[in-house]
Amino acid sequence: HGLGFNDITHWTVGAGPGSFTGMRIASALVQGLVYSKNILSRTVPSAEAVAVSAGTDRNACVIFDGRNREIILLNLSDGQDAILNQAQAQDYFRQNKFESIAAMKYDSNAIGAIVPPEVFAEIKWAEKLDTDTFFDSEKDFDNDLTKLIYIRPSVAGASE
């Protein structure tokens, strides 16, 4: 488009869920780029892009493979998140119902091993991520890049 670096006036950082280190590096990089400049920035949950890519609305419940035989769940309607193993997922989905559930297709095997079959059958799958969703988001440019959703918080210095 013939734009130079200084032509960028708005930055969007994917807010996760993601790894602590990766999320902080992305946030810190953009914070450094916009520091003391008349440039706006914001965070947008990656789950929002998954929901739109799967053909659901932006208020879906989005499930990610959390590794370690767990899922990461982000409810976009209220911002609540959870890391659940199979037993916890059974209880969680018994107590919570969602109008729409979305996930990335490449996570289907891992998610299928955790969620109840009736929940798995309701999931709308995104084949690929529509990254335009990050730019089209209605989230405010509030210059607060600390609103990150970590898969697991940093454990440096944590006591046993």
Side-chain angles (χ1 to χ4, degrees), residues 12 20 41-44 69 74 83 105 125 134 136 142:
T12 297
F20 179 84
S41 62
R42 67 178 175 184
T43 59
V44 174
R69 297 185 199 140
L74 182 61
I83 298 175
K105 183 69 174 168
W125 301 100
F134 291 105
D136 298 338
D142 57 7

Side-chain angles (χ1 to χ4, degrees), residues 46-57:
S46 307
E48 193 174 307
V50 174
V52 171
S53 300
T56 66
D57 65 27

Side-chain angles (χ1 to χ4, degrees), residues 1-5 7-8 132 135:
H1 290 17
L3 296 175
F5 187 78
D7 295 323
I8 301 170
D132 286 345
F135 305 108

Side-chain angles (χ1 to χ4, degrees), residues 37-117:
K37 296 183 175 116
N38 192 21
I39 297 174
L40 299 174
S41 62
R42 67 178 175 184
T43 59
V44 174
S46 307
E48 193 174 307
V50 174
V52 171
S53 300
T56 66
D57 65 27
R58 294 176 190 265
N59 290 319
C61 168
V62 180
I63 301 173
F64 296 88
D65 174 11
R67 311 290 190 258
N68 302 319
R69 297 185 199 140
E70 296 173 321
I71 58 168
I72 298 166
L73 180 139
L74 182 61
N75 183 353
L76 290 171
S77 65
D78 65 11
Q80 296 300 309
D81 58 42
I83 298 175
L84 307 168
N85 63 28
Q86 187 178 27
Q88 293 165 326
Q90 300 290 326
D91 291 338
Y92 185 89
F93 286 107
R94 202 173 299 119
Q95 297 170 13
N96 298 280
K97 303 296 179 206
F98 300 97
E99 286 188 34
S100 57
I101 303 172
M104 294 300 298
K105 183 69 174 168
Y106 59 74
D107 283 343
S108 63
N109 289 338
I111 291 171
I114 305 295
V115 303

